[in-house]
Amino acid sequence: MSSLHKSRIADFQDVLKEPMIALEKLRELSFSGIPCEGGLRCLCWKILLNYLPLERASWTSILAKQRELYSQFLREMIIQPGIAKANMGVSREDVTFEDHPLNPNPDSRWNTYFRDNEVLLQIDKDVRRLCPDISFFQRATEYPCLLILDPQNEFETLRKRVEQTTLKSQTVARNRSGVTNQEQNIKPQFFAFRWLTLLLSQEFLLPDVIRIWDSLFADSNRFDFLLLVCCAMLILIREQLLEGDFTVNMRLLQDYPITDVSQVLQKAKELQDSQ
């Protein structure tokens, strides 16, 4: 580890050990990248995204409250009505004639359960589709919910769906099809929609995506910097776009050629400073 990197870690630790976190100082440091050692990035992201308050003394109680809220969401969204675990503090509810799995009433708890699980299934598909070959997404959380991990569950849960997903390789396989057309009419929604909605997570390798997110989360206007990053990406391949036809350009935009993310961030910072 270089002396410069050690110095940056020390700078973060100095800011984070204060009773009241200096948010502007933390943003300034984080914008240039957050070290991953000692859980620094995890902690900084929580503060920058307002998950944790600036007052250190309240972190323990806030985290406990948030984890209990997470468990409550699981009980409400994943547990089937009429099925519960008494040993987890959840009372069993009897299925009645008024509310059953085939009840078409929009207010039915079963109806809500099925809709929620459709959303969860779609999220599960999107996560696996995002980086299908990276085992990072299979790491168990440090604070798992017993309602998911309980092997005696009598119903389908996220745990079972996760177990069915096998991620082995550490590299991202990129197989994207371009859009073909005869006229040069490239609209932003052809490529920018994915760039913006997925925060560039399909355009770069995961370590580079995380580095970009350090700057995005540190932005005081919450993600305004993302637009500048996208503009920088276009500027850096401007000459190629001017020379290419529709098919070539769509291939460039859907499989971005520049792999050095520092070039993109540097250009985006220049655009920000010029405003």
Side-chain angles (χ1 to χ4, degrees), residues 206-253:
L206 185 61
D208 294 332
V209 173
I210 292 175
R211 171 60 191 90
I212 294 174
W213 287 2
D214 285 343
S215 296
L216 296 185
F217 297 163
D219 180 42
S220 59
N221 294 317
R222 189 60 59 84
F223 304 131
D224 281 3
F225 190 67
L226 176 61
L227 298 177
L228 298 179
V229 171
C230 293
C231 290
M233 292 169 64
L234 294 174
I235 293 173
L236 290 174
I237 59 173
R238 178 178 182 274
E239 297 303 321
Q240 295 169 267
L241 292 173
L242 291 176
E243 295 175 359
D245 57 17
F246 182 90
T247 304
V248 171
N249 287 342
M250 286 306 304
R251 188 178 299 116
L252 279 173
L253 295 169

Side-chain angles (χ1 to χ4, degrees), residues 12 16 26 30 34 40-48:
F12 275 93
L16 294 172
L26 181 62
S30 301
I34 306 173
L40 285 177
R41 174 173 281 125
C42 174
L43 180 56
C44 289
W45 281 13
K46 289 177 180 178
I47 298 173
L48 294 172

